[in-house]
Amino acid sequence: MASLTDTRHDDPGLLSARRIITLLGSILVALSSGTNYIFSAYAPQLGARLHITHTQLNVVGLAGNIGVFASGPIWGRIVDSRGPRIPLIGAFMCFLIGYAGMKRMYDAGTDSGTSISAAHFTLLVVCGLLTGLGANAGIASAINTTAKSFPASAHATTTGLVQSGFGLSAFFFSTIAHVFFPGDTSAFLLLLALATSTPILVALFIVRPVPLPPTRPGPRGDEDGDYERIPSGEVAPFITDPIIDVVGIAEQGSRTPLLGSRQGDEPSSTLRLGRSQSCSRPDNPPDIHGKMLWGTLDFYLVSIIMALLSGTGITCKFVMNLLIFCVSLTFDVDINNVGTISLALFAKSNPIYDEVEASKWQAAQVSTLSVGNFVGRVLSGLISDFLRNRLHLPRAYSLCIVSSLFIISQALAIGISSVSTLWIATATLGVAYGGLFGALPAIVIDWFGLAHLSENWGYVTLAPLVGGNIFSIMFGRNLDAHTPHEEDTSRNATRFVGGEISSEERCLIGRECYVSSLRVTLVACMVALALSTWAATRDERRRRAVRKERTDERDRDL
């Protein structure tokens, strides 16, 4: 016992240099891990150099997105069980090989007028997949390390800061390429290879969990300490009963005193954390993972909310690449339909279509989106912790705020008819989308526990893969329905500076191109708001039930 006490006194303070360095290192890793979303910054040049079709380019982009989303549970399990070192090494290798491989193939090019072979195209797809795998390995390590290095009262703020680096990555690297390497795709790919892998290599030495200082236990610890101190007899209150929603209850009589376990008592195996985590926390937090996670209603609830809102945000990621008219587009982030919308509005109000001017509007909108994404991830973490620490409300209420912002953004987008005012809806959407990813990790910790955070978060982030594809197909079909057919080409042609291009290559009739899709996403966001409200009220009922049970137990002990 003495040795344990001595070890705890050696733990650095909450604002120690070690803890701050870990946080900054995690943000740096996240900044390096978000480059998958700038694929369209170099995709047109890559396709032209290698003579591959738009569909093939989309396959390469899809491989990267599959790497980001589908690998989450795998990398998460490794991070939870082995720490961040192995995933960081994997991220370093994936980034370096992926982007260096793309650069090598771009520099080699092909013979004039001939496309690359099937084998070379497969290698290109593998390179895209590697960049996605590296992105998830990096961000999973960063979020997990940060969450384990700071107390529950700061989980949302610190993980939100880490996520903000991921959200700003596309804008950051695209700006560097635009300023220092304009038109030089080979140099841009080299920049991505080195600027993503080198910070990961540095992070291997500074990104590691920092033990938490001892927490003063007491009867009121739940009000100014950790989120919920669930008695060891409970697995976690998350399903079935409409009032308390308890997953499982241990044997009757198996109780843990409020100030700690009685000597000789064995904690429930379903709640047992690794020694490295449990020794720094006096409570017994929930530990739901694996099959148990898939049997909880809350997991499906948060996944559906994530699918609806993220699907709204990432609508038409690949459709934009297929419909892109201005190949000089140099910005891309998580939410890609903004470029298409700005082009449609610009073309509608400008019979003389200037490709350069339209490209400027696209870049401005997507840049606004990226900055809003960054701001949203930071603010949502601060608001989530404020709700918990100051107002003593569940963090799930932050999802109501995020859903409301999504609704406002869609309503604004529906009502806008000029590209000059599109930035208002774009900024709102960026903040909402960033807020979603900034708030959810802390909620996942509160609901399912910290011990398997990365694995559980990996399963939750499978939802955007489903929601994004469904909404993208819907958005693309709506665009196709409003694209003039060959017989309408002569009367729907749009002139642009330097010549004329048929509108069958792009929907250029303004709001009609996308407003039907936005009405669908508006309804989806309303559904998400209703589900978020339900989730928050369920969480509040659980808190009250646990607090009452703890009070009754204290009275019995007295």
Side-chain angles (χ1 to χ4, degrees):
M1 179 65 68
S3 60
L4 178 60
T5 304
D6 294 340
T7 301
R8 286 186 175 182
H9 284 301
D10 291 338
D11 291 339
L14 292 179
L15 296 179
S16 66
R18 282 179 58 190
R19 214 174 297 279
I20 298 302
I21 289 174
T22 295
L23 176 61
L24 294 177
S26 297
I27 295 175
L28 183 64
V29 170
L31 187 66
S32 302
S33 300
T35 54
N36 186 66
Y37 296 118
I38 57 174
F39 175 70
S40 68
Y42 57 86
Q45 294 84 356
L46 185 67
R49 178 79 170 178
L50 302 180
H51 300 286
I52 58 180
T53 65
H54 286 293
T55 301
Q56 289 176 310
L57 274 179
N58 283 334
V59 171
V60 177
L62 177 63
N65 280 273
I66 290 176
V68 171
F69 294 111
S71 65
I74 300 174
W75 285 121
R77 178 168 294 187
I78 296 174
V79 174
D80 290 331
S81 61
R82 304 296 297 274
R85 182 173 296 273
I86 293 177
L88 287 176
I89 293 175
F92 167 77
M93 296 179 63
C94 287
F95 282 137
L96 186 60
I97 296 173
Y99 286 119
M102 286 186 181
K103 180 186 183 301
R104 176 69 180 86
M105 297 182 69
Y106 178 86
D107 291 340
T110 62
D111 295 333
S112 178
T114 61
S115 180
I116 60 174
S117 65
H120 282 83
F121 176 70
T122 302
L123 288 176
L124 186 63
V125 172
V126 171
C127 288
L129 178 65
L130 287 175
T131 62
L133 293 174
N136 197 291
I139 191 64
S141 301
I143 293 176
N144 186 282
T145 302
T146 301
K148 291 179 178 178
S149 299
F150 288 87
S153 59
H155 275 164
T157 299
T158 52
T159 57
L161 287 172
V162 172
Q163 290 268 35
S164 70
F166 193 85
L168 193 64
S169 179
F171 175 73
F172 177 76
F173 282 99
S174 293
T175 302
I176 292 177
H178 184 69
V179 173
F180 296 102
F181 309 106
D184 192 345
T185 304
S186 179
F188 183 36
L189 290 173
L190 179 61
L191 169 70
L192 291 176
L194 297 179
T196 56
S197 59
T198 302
I200 300 294
L201 189 62
V202 174
L204 280 170
F205 301 97
I206 62 175
V207 175
R208 56 188 64 185
V210 181
L212 288 168
T215 302
R216 178 178 60 86
R220 296 176 60 84
D222 61 300
E223 296 182 8
D224 52 13
D226 287 332
Y227 177 67
E228 285 293 350
R229 301 190 179 189
I230 300 176
S232 64
E234 298 178 5
V235 174
F238 286 111
I239 198 172
T240 64
D241 189 276
I243 304 299
I244 301 180
D245 300 318
V246 176
V247 171
I249 303 295
E251 299 179 33
Q252 294 295 328
S254 175
R255 298 287 183 178
T256 301
L258 187 65
L259 298 181
S261 301
R262 293 187 180 93
Q263 186 175 2
D265 288 348
E266 289 293 331
S268 172
S269 60
T270 57
L271 285 173
R272 188 179 295 116
L273 301 175
R275 293 182 181 273
S276 61
Q277 290 90 24
S278 61
C279 66
S280 63
R281 296 175 181 272
D283 61 317
N284 288 313
D287 184 9
I288 302 177
H289 64 282
K291 293 182 179 179
M292 188 185 299
L293 179 72
W294 290 90
T296 61
L297 177 61
D298 287 274
F299 170 69
Y300 294 102
L301 185 59
V302 74
S303 296
I304 293 173
I305 294 172
M306 170 72 99
L308 292 173
L309 297 181
S310 64
T312 297
I314 61 178
T315 295
C316 271
K317 179 172 181 60
F318 303 115
V319 173
M320 190 188 73
N321 286 331
L322 285 170
L323 298 178
I324 195 68
F325 173 71
C326 299
V327 296
S328 57
L329 178 65
T330 56
F331 292 87
D332 183 37
V333 291
D334 299 341
I335 312 163
N336 292 297
N337 58 325
V338 171
T340 297
I341 293 174
S342 64
L343 272 179
L345 289 174
F346 180 80
K348 177 67 174 179
S349 57
N350 293 271
I352 302 301
Y353 186 85
D354 187 343
E355 180 180 11
V356 175
E357 185 68 18
S359 180
K360 291 179 181 179
W361 281 110
Q362 282 184 296
Q365 298 305 321
V366 184
S367 298
T368 302
L369 194 64
S370 182
V371 174
N373 191 1
F374 164 77
V375 172
R377 295 180 189 234
V378 175
L379 289 180
S380 65
L382 294 172
I383 293 173
S384 180
D385 280 340
F386 178 80
L387 289 173
R388 176 193 178 277
N389 301 327
R390 298 293 184 180
L391 303 182
H392 305 294
L393 294 174
R395 284 194 173 105
Y397 278 110
S398 62
L399 292 178
C400 299
I401 300 175
V402 170
S403 300
S404 299
L405 285 175
F406 269 101
I407 292 174
I408 294 172
S409 71
Q410 300 304 287
L412 288 173
I414 290 174
I416 289 174
S417 57
S418 172
V419 70
S420 61
T421 56
L422 181 60
W423 69 270
I424 302 174
T426 301
T428 308
L429 181 61
V431 172
Y433 187 77
L436 176 66
F437 282 87
L440 273 178
I443 294 175
V444 170
I445 295 173
D446 288 344
W447 287 5
F448 310 126
L450 179 61
H452 295 86
L453 163 64
S454 295
E455 181 183 351
N456 293 340
W457 177 244
Y459 284 122
V460 171
T461 53
L462 291 175
L465 196 61
V466 178
N469 284 329
I470 293 175
F471 281 88
S472 292
I473 293 172
M474 177 270 299
F475 190 78
R477 288 185 174 179
N478 181 65
L479 280 172
D480 290 338
H482 290 87
T483 298
H485 300 290
E486 185 176 355
E487 58 271 16
D488 301 322
T489 298
S490 58
R491 57 189 175 90
N492 285 317
T494 300
R495 295 196 62 84
F496 76 104
V497 174
E500 180 178 282
I501 185 165
S502 169
S503 60
E504 68 174 338
E505 297 187 24
R506 171 173 292 281
C507 181
L508 300 172
I509 57 176
R511 296 176 65 252
E512 291 80 4
C513 294
Y514 59 85
V515 70
S516 298
S517 298
L518 292 181
R519 292 193 179 104
V520 174
T521 56
L522 177 62
V523 173
C525 294
M526 291 179 176
V527 173
L529 176 60
L531 294 177
S532 299
T533 304
W534 183 31
T537 54
R538 279 167 52 85
D539 206 0
E540 179 66 19
R541 288 199 300 269
R542 286 194 294 263
R543 287 168 56 92
R544 292 175 181 174
V546 172
R547 190 181 298 115
K548 182 179 184 301
E549 181 178 354
R550 196 161 44 239
T551 301
D552 294 342
E553 182 177 294
R554 187 189 310 131
D555 293 340
R556 287 195 299 269
D557 292 339
L558 293 177

